[in-house]
Amino acid sequence: GRRPPSDERVGCIQGRSTSENARERRGVRRGPSSIMFARLSARMASLRLSRAGAEAIAGSSCVGGARGVTRACAESAIETACASQRAWIARSFAETRAGTHTTTRGFHASAVAPMASRDAKSMKTHKDGDKLTPAPRGIDPPMTPWEAGARNDPNFGKGGGGMSAFTPTARLRKRKTLQKRAAFLMQTLENEKMREIARSSPVTPFRPGDVIRVKVAVLENRGRANNFTGICIARRNRGMGSSFTLRSVVAGVPVERTFPTYSPTIKEFEVLERRKVRRGKLYYLRDKPLRYSRV
C-alpha cells in the first residue's frame, strides 16, 4: 500500500528527490553508484548553464547587440541538460533575440556579482556639497581668548580677566600672576609662528576620515621626497606640536605614520576623498578588517 505523506516528506528531507521516492514506491531501486552518477550529471548541466549565464552577464555573448544567451551557448548547454533546463535555455535564447532578456534570472549562484562587503573599500564616501561632521579645519591658529571676547562683546575684559597680556599693569583691574602673563606671551609668539608657516604650507583643511596623500622630504636620504597615502585616523592639536596620523595597508600589513602638521618637510598635501565618519578619532579601525583601512 501507499505510505503516509509524512514518510514522503522525511524522504525528501534526507536528500532524496521526489522521483527517487516514486521509483522506490514502484519497487525500482537504484544503486548508490547510479544515484551518484545521476546527481553528478545534473550538477554538470547546472554548471554549464551557469557558465552561459556568466558569459551573458560579462557581455561576452551578444546577439544583435543585446546581452544574453547566444546560439552557441544554448546549443552546448542543451546537449546535456534535462527537459526543464532545455525549456529554460530555449526561452532565454528567444528572449535574447527579442531583446527582453533579464540577466539576473535563473543563473547559478556562481554567476552572481560578489557582495559589497568584499570590496576593497567598505567605507562610504561623502559627495560634493554634503555636510561634514567633524568639519574640515586648516592649520591657522585659533583665536586667543581676548580676541574672541573683543569680537563678541566690545566691553569684554573691563574687569581685567579678559584683557590682553600686553595690557600695562597699572591699567589692570584684576591682578594677573607673572606665570599667567608669561603663558599669554608664549601663546602669542607661538600663534605668530603658526600663522607664518600656514601662509606658505601646502597643508589644506582636512578632517579625520579623509584619504590624504602626503609628499614628505626624507632628510636622511639626501632630501628625496616620497609619497604616503592613508586615511586620517587622528588629528592632534597642540600648537606648534600639532600632528596627524595616517593609516594604510602596505603588502597586507597595516601601517600608521604620524606627521607634524607644521613640519617644513611636507612638500605636497592632497585630500583624495572624504569618507563618512562620526568620530574625531578612528582608532576602532585597528580592530576592523584590513579592507576598512585600504585606500
Side-chain angles (χ1 to χ4, degrees), residues 209-224:
D210 291 352
V211 176
I212 302 172
R213 180 170 58 206
V214 183
K215 186 175 183 180
V216 184
V218 182
L219 302 180
E220 295 81 4
N221 191 16
R222 300 180 182 178
R224 296 178 181 177

Side-chain angles (χ1 to χ4, degrees), residues 132-176:
L132 304 178
T133 304
R137 178 183 168 186
I139 63 174
D140 292 327
M143 289 189 298
T144 57
W146 60 87
E147 290 175 347
R151 176 174 298 185
N152 295 331
D153 184 8
N155 297 323
F156 176 80
K158 291 300 181 181
M163 303 182 74
S164 171
F166 301 105
T167 305
T169 306
R171 292 176 51 189
L172 286 176
R173 301 292 182 86
K174 184 172 64 174
R175 182 67 61 181
K176 291 184 178 179

Side-chain angles (χ1 to χ4, degrees), residues 234-252:
R235 180 169 179 172
R236 181 175 177 268
N237 299 314
R238 297 294 186 276
M240 287 293 296
S242 301
S243 62
F244 59 94
T245 303
L246 301 183
R247 178 179 174 86
S248 182
V249 179
V250 179

